[in-house]
Amino acid sequence: MLAKRIIPCLDIKDGQTVKGTNFVNLRQAGDPVELGKAYSEQGADELVYLDITASHEGRKTFTELVKRIAANISIPFTVGGGINELQDVDRLLNAGADKVSINSSAIRNPQLIDEIARNFGVQVCVVAIDAKQTGTGWKCFLNGGRIETDKYLYDWAKEAADRGAGEILFTSMDHDGVKTGYANEALAVLSERLPIPVIASGGAGKMEHFKDAFNQGKADAALAASVFHFGEIKIPELKNYLCKQGINIRK
């Protein structure tokens, strides 16, 4: 059985790490390169960097940042935000990223998943899904959770996997930044239905929440932001706790 992974996520806005609640009320959390370096040294398994306000003008800045990150950390990292075509993927991989994460662009143009998988390999393509519970089920949202789509979480995740996504990064918008635990029921359904790894995102507040994401949610990895950025949970202590809980975690 593959070891479970712990993944700090760094949301980048104007070159700085920020964190919000339910996708709004952003506050500064520090320098993305220094934070990434610290997490790498503390034993994080991977990192995710998301350019949350990616725009055409910001791409150059973000590419430079990716180069700096690659020069300073020794663990794999994924980058996302504003990736709309193969050229964007090529640019970020050349800057040193290991994987790319696509979200809104994948929903608007599902063919992009096939193209990335075909040109760069399935291991490069992470499909991120922001979803929340509605009266008719879990619906997917675009543009950092601003626009509701007609896609449903489970169907869309299955399609993404069929098209060549290497992993699904599922964020429950209702749980994001609230620190009451991950959306474990939805995670368990995804893990059961998909042939690829599922990363849990949204809701980590204490160490037990990670344990529940792995045991109840059957997630392959758990991603968190503010609990790491603001020192509420230390990665070595978290890994130690999970080991004691009998969870196969990377040392």
Side-chain angles (χ1 to χ4, degrees):
M1 199 172 132
L2 283 176
K4 307 292 189 183
R5 291 168 285 151
I6 299 296
I7 307 177
C9 178
L10 298 91
D11 290 343
I12 309 299
K13 182 176 190 273
D14 305 325
Q16 283 295 308
T17 312
V18 294
K19 185 61 195 125
T21 304
N22 299 126
F23 286 45
V24 291
N25 303 327
L26 302 177
R27 57 180 175 148
Q28 294 259 345
D31 177 74
V33 179
E34 289 307 313
L35 267 176
K37 209 167 153 186
Y39 292 144
S40 175
E41 286 160 4
Q42 285 166 28
D45 299 302
E46 293 180 24
L47 298 173
V48 170
Y49 284 90
L50 298 175
D51 185 355
I52 59 169
T53 51
S55 63
H56 195 60
E57 301 75 47
R59 282 184 185 177
K60 216 171 170 159
T61 321
F62 192 57
T63 308
E64 288 309 311
L65 178 61
V66 170
K67 285 180 182 166
R68 281 174 48 222
I69 294 162
N72 282 280
I73 70 166
S74 55
I75 55 174
F77 69 101
T78 301
V79 295
I83 296 168
N84 298 305
E85 55 190 8
L86 288 181
Q87 205 180 337
D88 298 327
V89 180
D90 198 41
R91 175 170 48 79
L92 292 165
L93 293 179
N94 279 330
D98 296 276
K99 307 178 202 176
V100 295
S101 167
I102 53 173
N103 187 336
S104 302
S105 58
I107 290 181
R108 291 198 180 100
N109 172 23
Q111 196 68 37
L112 183 60
I113 303 170
D114 306 67
E115 290 173 6
I116 295 173
R118 197 167 49 243
N119 284 274
F120 302 103
V122 290
Q123 78 288 348
V124 159
C125 186
V126 178
V127 172
I129 302 176
D130 298 330
K132 71 172 167 187
Q133 281 274 27
T134 68
T136 56
W138 282 93
K139 294 292 282 287
C140 301
F141 282 70
L142 286 174
N143 289 27
R146 295 179 188 89
I147 303 166
E148 186 175 331
T149 71
D150 59 356
K151 291 196 185 291
Y152 285 91
L153 170 64
Y154 304 130
D155 297 339
W156 171 233
K158 180 75 173 72
E159 182 185 337
D162 291 345
R163 285 178 175 276
E167 293 179 285
I168 296 293
L169 166 53
F170 160 54
T171 302
S172 164
M173 293 169 62
D174 300 316
H175 294 72
D176 176 68
V178 183
K179 300 185 181 178
T180 52
Y182 294 94
N184 294 318
E185 283 178 27
L187 279 166
V189 175
L190 285 171
S191 300
E192 207 168 279
R193 293 189 187 179
L194 301 178
I196 58 174
V198 175
I199 304 168
S201 166
K206 49 189 184 179
M207 294 194 199
E208 288 87 335
H209 295 153
F210 290 86
K211 177 191 73 172
D212 293 343
F214 295 136
N215 285 342
Q216 296 166 25
K218 310 275 186 273
D220 297 275
L223 175 146
S226 57
V227 289
F228 296 142
H229 300 340
F230 302 114
E232 293 156 49
I233 293 178
K234 304 276 196 297
I235 293 170
E237 288 164 22
L238 173 61
K239 288 194 158 190
N240 198 20
Y241 163 81
L242 292 169
C243 273
K244 285 181 178 162
Q245 299 298 314
I247 290 164
N248 179 19
I249 199 89
R250 292 186 185 177
K251 300 293 191 294

